[in-house]
Amino acid sequence: MTLQEYDYARESPSKLAASCLLLALTMKNLGGWTPTLEYYSGYSAQDLHPLVKRLNFLLTYQPRDKLNAVRSKYSHAVFFEVAKVTPMDMLKLEEALTSC
């Protein structure tokens, strides 16, 4: 979904991927950012918090009028319907991130 947003073009791909992973781990209650993830990604959880919040907001604010190709593609069962995942409540996300 970030492919359609110019604001994310300035982010490094590795930081964007790490933030997406942290958001997914948080949304699915699969644990936090481990020392192993920090070592191999090069990012601490605190480095990723602002971008994780922006990504969750992107899930919350879904413009339906333009550029629906990516959303449509990832709404199919082949891609596990990840575009239909409901975003986390921002307060719960903030609480979960502070506990990482």
Side-chain angles (χ1 to χ4, degrees), residues 78-96:
V78 174
F79 296 103
F80 303 102
E81 299 178 341
V82 295
K84 294 180 181 178
V85 172
T86 57
M88 285 188 73
D89 179 70
M90 290 303 278
L91 294 175
K92 289 181 182 179
L93 177 62
E94 182 70 37
E95 183 180 301

Side-chain angles (χ1 to χ4, degrees), residues 24-32 34:
L25 290 171
T26 306
M27 289 174 84
K28 295 294 185 178
N29 294 321
L30 296 174
T34 64

Side-chain angles (χ1 to χ4, degrees), residues 10-88:
R10 67 175 177 251
E11 299 293 343
S12 72
S14 63
K15 188 172 186 178
L16 190 57
S19 297
C20 288
L21 178 59
L22 179 55
L23 180 58
L25 290 171
T26 306
M27 289 174 84
K28 295 294 185 178
N29 294 321
L30 296 174
W33 200 245
T34 64
T36 303
L37 289 170
E38 184 174 340
Y39 176 79
Y40 285 107
S41 71
Y43 298 106
S44 69
Q46 289 73 28
D47 295 339
L48 302 175
H49 287 181
L51 188 52
V52 169
K53 292 175 191 174
R54 285 177 47 213
L55 288 168
N56 190 59
F57 181 76
L58 181 63
L59 291 173
T60 304
Y61 172 70
Q62 298 179 0
R64 302 262 180 213
D65 55 345
K66 297 179 184 176
L67 302 172
N68 283 325
V70 173
R71 188 178 321 281
S72 175
K73 176 180 178 178
Y74 289 100
S75 293
H76 294 287
V78 174
F79 296 103
F80 303 102
E81 299 178 341
V82 295
K84 294 180 181 178
V85 172
T86 57
M88 285 188 73

